[in-house]
Amino acid sequence: MDSSKSKDSTNSGLQETNSDINDEEKNDLCPGFKDADAFVKYGLGAVLSATKASAGLPQTGDEYDFYRSFPGFQEFCESQGDKLLHCMSQIMQHHGCRSRMRDRNKLTGLEERFDLVVDSNDVILERVGILLDEADGVNRNQQPVMPAEFQPPKIVVSSWNRMGSSSGSRSETFRLLQAKNIARPQMKFKEKVDNSNTPFIPKIFIKPNAVKPLPSCKLLLTLMFFPSVRPEDLDVPAALADFIHQQRTQEHVEDMFAHPYQYELDHLTIQESVLSKPEPQMYKPLTETKCSFIDTLDDLVALNEKLCKLSEFAVDLEHHSYRSFLGLTCLIQISSREEDFIIDAIELRSELYILNEAFTDPAIVKVFHGADSDIEWLQRDFGLYVVNLFDTHQASRALNLARHSLDQLLKHFCNVNSEKRYQLADWRIRPLPDEMVQYARMDTHYLLYIYDCVRVQLLDFNHGQPGLLQSVWNKSKDISLKKYTKPIFTEESYLELQRKQKRSFNTQQLTAFRLLFAWRDKLARQEDESTGFTLPTHMMNKISEELPKEPQGIIACCNPVPPLVRQQVNELHLLVQQAREMPLLKVRKDGCQNDLQHCSPDGKLDTLIRLIILLILNSASFLKELETQNDHESLSVAQMKARRIIECFENPFRMYLPSSDVHISKNAKFDPSSKIFEVIKELHSSIYIQTYLCCPPNYMFECGGKKRERVASEVGESTPKPSKKQMKSAEKPQKTEPPPKDSFKPFDYSQSDLKVFAGTKSKDNTQFDPNRQAQGFKKKKTARGQKSNSGAGNRSMSYMAGKSDRGFRHNWPKR
């Protein structure tokens, strides 16, 4: 009985666990993923890893063909290709599309598969658009789509709308990163955004906490470039207008573009209190901390007074860059130990310079995390600068933590999991939803407690010595010294982007890429839109590769079509036609064409170096003649130096040889173990290297080299063998005089005897018989002093004629 009861209890327990697992699987959005965020994060990581892996594959062309020649690489490509095709077929079947991707027909298989992929992409993107419209509150099935002019202005943002499930246990979150129908905040700015192709001039005109005053030229340039700050506002009389113009033209470029607080930062001394070990002060819960939204000038002035009384506060920014050329700072979050503040940086853009009083106070510590971009954005939009900065990102790097992000620090020190759902949200939305406000607060609410904790660990890590902590302060000071620089367009700006694409273009494609790059930059500056919104880079590459002949082809290269491209499609078509008229030439990988006009800086340098080397090597014969002429003349000191320089260009090993007046023993010259012998050997061998670098062997006469040729000897001329005495005498070095230069005379062929080329007809059998040939030689007798020319016609003209006694003195062995 007890055993049966225990079995029943175990069975009931298993059933309960199985039911819990089934409930969890039912609640999961996808198998293995609790919600859409987990699935999106996993999918984004998979796409990034696949993109990085594809970038490391061999490029199309010679490199791919070389790897393709290896059987192992070929088998691997085929197996991976089959897996990709199978995966694409499953995706197409899931969406109800045709999925015959594994067609092995080489003639029509590739085109059919390409058409299948295009059709499937259209179907999937259409469904994605329908789902996004439904999440946005637009139902295509019920209400027709009306033009924008007939619709009332309505801001519909669905990133915080929640649709409860039927069970009521959980809610599904639908989020959109970009909201629709948002009024452009640039239209409300008192100061027009400066997108001109000129260097950035600091906006600061009042310098609080200054040790070194602001240069006067910077103040006057601020008055001229920014109309909101007028001369009459600062009581500048009209009589100083000429003086202001003179100050513009003075050479104060360094002062004008220098960091306004560079002197203060260079002479900043860190207080001993921040270098000592602190006691971490615990943060307050979010629910018990007051949060103030600052969107008026009075609230901003009150906030500045509060910040000036603090010893430290935390700062963070929220930025938007997709619908602006330079970018927009939308929010500034500031947190103290007791309170959180969120500043509407769009509404108070022209008044935020007031915060310089607190931001530049060297007695107040400003805590940032990853302040590299924040420092530049504050300078660009508001003219704000930071003195006495502490970057927790640099502290985490000094501590050698596993990860250096703010999420990792929150989890490590505060045991808080941050929500990154709105990290890429459109922060131009007004009014801000409560969820986005809470997300913005979390970036700075815990930062002061992390600041205390990392200081404690930095001191403990270095055994109580402040050296490591001091290095973090120094790195943070270097970050606060950064200056914002505007993107400047030049004629060679496109080359840097083209090299990153790792694509080889011909002259027509490269010209189209250059023209499209210039058009995109110009239009983006005019419309104050980002280059990614105007014309994304991958679409620009597609248009440059295809070079469409019609405007419809340009539209076909863009999916989805950017609004500005659709408006300016005719102008883009003219640019593509201009590129197609260029002569078709091959472009090197470094972007250098046949002429130096369109070369990159590296390509120009490489080409010039090659030209200089060729000129130096081709002028070797001229330098030798110049050297022989100067040997017999008295040279001055300058001429001797010039001669040594020329000799160094002629041969790199000559610089290691001693001067001519130094005595060198003969034993050292012929001793293989000596250094002089090695240098002389290299010196002689480099003559042939220089000759072959100048030109190939077939063109040796053009470069001044001498080529040995075999000269046809006269008929009957004999070449006697050299005797041993002659050979010994030849080994001794002799001074050879250069042959006299005779004037060229054409050869008179009328006096030559051409019968020697006729040869003799043999009446005997053509089969070779050694015994018979030896007897024939014995029978033939010639008179003394006479030469036999019977076999002269059968000899080659390149053979040096001479006596051959092989048939007379030696008989062939008998069989």
Side-chain angles (χ1 to χ4, degrees):
M1 293 293 292
D2 296 336
S3 62
S4 62
K5 289 181 180 179
S6 61
K7 290 181 180 178
D8 295 337
S9 62
T10 53
N11 293 332
S12 62
L14 291 174
Q15 290 178 359
E16 290 177 358
T17 55
N18 292 331
S19 62
D20 294 338
I21 293 172
N22 294 331
D23 293 338
E24 290 179 358
E25 291 180 353
K26 289 180 181 179
N27 293 332
D28 290 346
L29 178 67
C30 296
F33 302 100
K34 295 182 180 181
D35 52 4
D37 292 336
F39 181 76
V40 169
K41 289 181 180 179
Y42 176 79
L44 182 60
V47 170
L48 290 176
S49 60
T51 305
K52 292 180 180 178
S54 63
L57 294 175
Q59 301 295 324
T60 57
D62 297 338
E63 185 180 1
Y64 176 77
D65 295 338
F66 171 73
Y67 283 100
R68 188 72 175 175
S69 61
F70 295 95
F73 182 79
Q74 189 174 359
E75 294 176 359
F76 178 77
C77 290
E78 291 179 357
S79 62
Q80 297 298 321
D82 292 338
K83 291 181 181 179
L84 291 175
L85 293 177
H86 180 67
C87 182
M88 294 170 67
S89 301
Q90 290 182 343
I91 294 174
M92 292 177 182
Q93 290 177 2
H94 178 73
H95 291 280
C97 305
R98 293 184 300 153
S99 59
R100 293 181 300 171
M101 293 294 296
R102 305 186 67 176
D103 190 1
R104 293 294 183 181
N105 191 352
K106 295 183 179 180
L107 297 177
T108 60
L110 184 60
E111 295 181 359
E112 291 181 358
R113 280 182 283 183
F114 182 76
D115 295 338
L116 288 176
V117 171
V118 172
D119 296 339
S120 302
N121 284 338
D122 294 339
V123 172
I124 294 172
L125 291 175
E126 182 67 22
R127 290 186 177 181
V128 170
I130 293 173
L131 293 176
L132 290 177
D133 289 338
E134 291 180 358
D136 199 19
V138 178
N139 193 347
R140 295 185 179 181
N141 298 328
Q142 296 180 1
Q143 298 178 359
V145 179
M146 301 295 292
E149 291 80 3
F150 298 97
Q151 293 181 355
K154 181 177 65 173
I155 300 175
V156 181
V157 182
S158 62
S159 57
W160 54 88
N161 293 339
R162 295 184 180 273
M163 181 172 59
S165 59
S166 57
S167 61
S169 60
R170 62 186 299 271
S171 61
E172 298 179 1
T173 303
F174 295 91
R175 297 181 297 103
L176 284 180
L177 299 180
Q178 300 294 334
K180 295 183 178 180
N181 302 326
I182 294 180
R184 290 174 62 83
Q186 296 95 316
M187 307 300 295
K188 300 179 181 179
F189 293 164
K190 297 179 181 179
E191 301 172 1
K192 187 178 179 181
V193 179
D194 183 20
N195 294 328
S196 61
N197 196 31
T198 56
F200 174 75
I201 300 175
K203 292 185 175 182
I204 186 171
F205 56 94
I206 296 176
K207 186 178 179 181
N209 303 310
V211 178
K212 180 181 178 181
L214 194 69
S216 59
C217 62
K218 188 171 294 186
L219 173 61
L220 299 175
L221 285 169
T222 306
L223 296 176
M224 290 179 288
F225 281 100
F226 300 100
S228 62
V229 185
R230 298 180 180 180
E232 48 265 29
D233 296 337
L234 298 178
D235 299 331
V236 177
L240 291 179
D242 189 22
F243 176 74
I244 292 174
H245 179 70
Q246 292 177 2
Q247 290 291 327
R248 284 187 64 186
T249 57
Q250 288 181 356
E251 297 180 357
H252 295 290
V253 179
E254 294 183 359
D255 293 338
M256 183 172 58
F257 296 105
H259 195 287
Y261 284 89
Q262 184 170 1
Y263 183 83
E264 286 78 6
L265 289 169
D266 291 339
H267 296 79
L268 177 66
T269 57
I270 306 300
Q271 300 177 2
E272 295 182 359
S273 60
V274 296
L275 293 177
S276 59
K277 189 174 183 179
E279 185 68 27
Q281 184 177 350
M282 181 58 64
Y283 53 86
K284 289 184 177 181
L286 284 173
T287 56
E288 300 178 4
T289 307
K290 180 182 177 182
C291 181
S292 303
F293 190 81
I294 310 299
D295 57 353
T296 61
L297 181 59
D298 296 336
D299 295 340
L300 183 64
V301 172
L303 172 63
N304 183 55
E305 294 177 356
K306 289 182 180 179
L307 295 178
C308 291
K309 299 177 182 179
L310 299 175
S311 59
E312 68 269 338
F313 58 85
V315 186
D316 191 29
L317 307 181
E318 298 297 341
H319 190 262
H320 177 82
S321 60
Y322 185 63
R323 296 302 304 273
S324 175
F325 182 74
L326 299 177
L328 298 172
T329 303
C330 302
L331 286 182
I332 299 179
Q333 304 100 275
I334 299 177
S335 294
S336 64
R337 302 279 185 181
E338 305 293 334
E339 192 175 358
D340 297 333
F341 305 94
I342 296 180
I343 305 173
D344 189 353
I346 295 178
E347 187 69 24
L348 300 174
R349 181 184 176 92
S350 58
E351 288 84 13
L352 280 171
Y353 67 91
I354 298 174
L355 295 179
N356 261 330
E357 185 178 358
F359 274 56
T360 60
D361 191 348
I364 304 175
V365 178
K366 276 69 67 174
V367 182
F368 285 74
H369 181 83
D372 299 79
S373 300
D374 297 342
I375 293 296
E376 296 182 357
W377 295 340
L378 290 174
Q379 297 177 17
R380 178 197 64 196
D381 294 337
F382 319 116
L384 286 175
Y385 295 86
V386 179
V387 178
N388 198 4
L389 165 70
F390 186 88
D391 193 346
T392 55
H393 176 78
Q394 299 297 328
S396 66
R397 296 178 68 91
L399 291 172
N400 294 325
L401 298 181
R403 294 172 60 188
H404 311 301
S405 62
L406 183 58
D407 299 340
Q408 180 67 19
L409 295 183
L410 289 173
K411 190 178 299 183
H412 181 73
F413 293 106
C414 307
N415 198 16
V416 173
N417 294 322
S418 62
E419 292 286 344
K420 289 299 178 184
R421 295 183 299 171
Y422 303 99
Q423 188 174 11
L424 300 178
D426 195 342
W427 291 96
R428 303 175 300 163
I429 301 170
R430 296 295 183 273
L432 279 174
D434 294 337
E435 288 80 359
M436 297 180 73
V437 172
Q438 295 299 323
Y439 169 81
R441 288 182 63 188
M442 290 186 64
D443 288 344
T444 56
H445 181 76
Y446 306 95
L447 203 55
L448 291 177
Y449 176 74
I450 295 174
Y451 162 67
D452 295 338
C453 294
V454 294
R455 283 193 297 158
V456 172
Q457 290 196 4
L458 286 171
L459 291 172
D460 294 340
F461 192 79
N462 203 25
H463 306 288
Q465 299 297 323
L468 189 59
L469 181 58
Q470 182 68 45
S471 66
V472 175
W473 281 105
N474 294 335
K475 292 180 181 179
S476 302
K477 184 176 68 173
D478 294 338
I479 293 175
S480 59
L481 279 170
K482 293 183 66 174
K483 296 185 296 182
Y484 172 75
T485 57
K486 287 172 58 178
I488 302 298
F489 174 81
T490 61
E491 295 181 357
E492 297 179 353
S493 299
Y494 73 100
L495 291 175
E496 183 179 359
L497 180 61
Q498 195 269 336
R499 290 192 204 98
K500 293 180 181 179
Q501 305 303 316
K502 297 182 180 180
R503 301 188 182 187
S504 57
F505 287 160
N506 55 29
T507 50
Q508 294 182 354
Q509 295 172 340
L510 189 62
T511 303
F513 188 86
R514 174 172 57 85
L515 295 175
L516 292 175
F517 184 88
W519 171 86
R520 182 180 72 167
D521 184 86
K522 180 181 178 181
L523 188 63
R525 292 176 187 271
Q526 292 177 356
E527 301 294 332
D528 196 14
E529 299 285 358
S530 65
T531 55
F533 178 82
T534 306
L535 178 61
T537 303
H538 68 278
M539 297 183 185
M540 186 166 59
N541 288 329
K542 184 68 173 178
I543 297 173
S544 302
E545 287 181 354
E546 299 295 335
L547 296 177
K549 297 182 179 180
E550 301 295 335
Q552 291 79 7
I554 297 177
I555 299 297
C557 292
C558 305
N559 187 18
V561 184
L564 295 177
V565 172
R566 191 180 295 276
Q567 296 175 6
Q568 307 287 338
V569 64
N570 293 327
E571 185 176 354
L572 289 175
H573 181 236
L574 294 177
L575 296 177
V576 174
Q577 283 184 340
Q578 182 180 349
R580 293 178 68 91
E581 294 175 357
M582 293 290 294
L584 189 60
L585 298 174
K586 187 178 180 181
V587 181
R588 286 164 41 184
K589 291 184 179 180
D590 56 357
C592 184
Q593 304 175 5
N594 289 346
D595 55 348
L596 292 176
Q597 182 179 1
H598 300 286
C599 287
S600 64
D602 297 336
K604 287 181 179 179
L605 182 60
D606 186 18
T607 306
L608 290 175
I609 289 174
R610 293 186 180 187
L611 289 175
I612 291 172
I613 292 175
L614 289 176
L615 289 174
I616 292 173
L617 294 177
N618 287 332
S619 61
S621 60
F622 172 75
L623 295 176
K624 288 180 180 180
E625 294 179 0
L626 183 62
E627 180 182 0
T628 55
Q629 292 177 5
N630 293 336
D631 285 339
H632 305 285
E633 298 177 2
S634 60
L635 300 178
S636 62
V637 178
Q639 290 175 345
M640 290 295 292
K641 291 182 179 179
R643 181 180 178 182
R644 291 176 183 175
I645 293 173
I646 292 174
E647 289 176 354
C648 294
F649 275 107
E650 179 184 357
N651 196 324
F653 295 99
R654 191 176 296 277
M655 66 179 66
Y656 299 104
L657 290 177
S659 58
S660 58
D661 55 349
V662 177
H663 173 72
I664 302 174
S665 63
K666 295 183 179 179
N667 296 329
K669 290 183 179 180
F670 298 101
D671 186 9
S673 61
S674 63
K675 198 68 177 179
I676 298 296
F677 179 83
E678 295 180 4
V679 173
I680 293 175
K681 185 179 178 180
E682 294 292 339
L683 183 64
H684 288 295
S685 63
S686 63
I687 297 174
Y688 300 97
I689 297 174
Q690 288 186 2
T691 308
Y692 280 90
L693 281 175
C694 292
C695 56
N698 295 334
Y699 299 94
M700 294 289 290
F701 290 106
E702 297 180 4
C703 298
K706 295 181 180 181
K707 186 176 180 181
R708 295 180 60 187
E709 292 187 354
R710 293 180 179 179
V711 183
S713 60
E714 295 182 0
V715 179
E717 185 181 358
S718 62
T719 56
K721 294 183 179 179
S723 61
K724 295 182 179 180
K725 295 182 179 180
Q726 293 177 354
M727 292 177 64
K728 290 182 180 179
S729 61
E731 292 178 359
K732 298 180 181 180
Q734 297 179 0
K735 296 182 180 180
T736 58
E737 297 180 357
K741 297 182 179 179
D742 299 334
S743 60
F744 175 74
K745 294 180 181 180
F747 181 75
D748 189 5
Y749 290 95
S750 61
Q751 299 178 2
S752 62
D753 186 10
L754 300 178
K755 293 181 180 181
V756 295
F757 297 99
T760 58
K761 296 181 180 180
S762 61
K763 298 180 181 180
D764 299 333
N765 190 10
T766 58
Q767 186 176 0
F768 175 75
D769 190 357
N771 297 325
R772 183 179 179 183
Q773 187 174 0
Q775 296 174 2
F777 279 119
K778 290 181 180 180
K779 290 180 181 179
K780 290 183 181 180
K781 295 181 180 179
T782 56
R784 293 181 180 178
Q786 294 181 0
K787 297 180 180 180
S788 176
N789 296 332
S790 60
N794 294 331
R795 298 173 183 168
S796 174
M797 296 301 295
S798 62
Y799 174 76
M800 303 300 292
K803 289 184 179 181
S804 179
D805 298 334
R806 181 179 55 185
F808 294 99
R809 297 182 181 180
H810 303 283
N811 295 327
W812 290 93
K814 295 182 180 180
R815 296 179 181 176

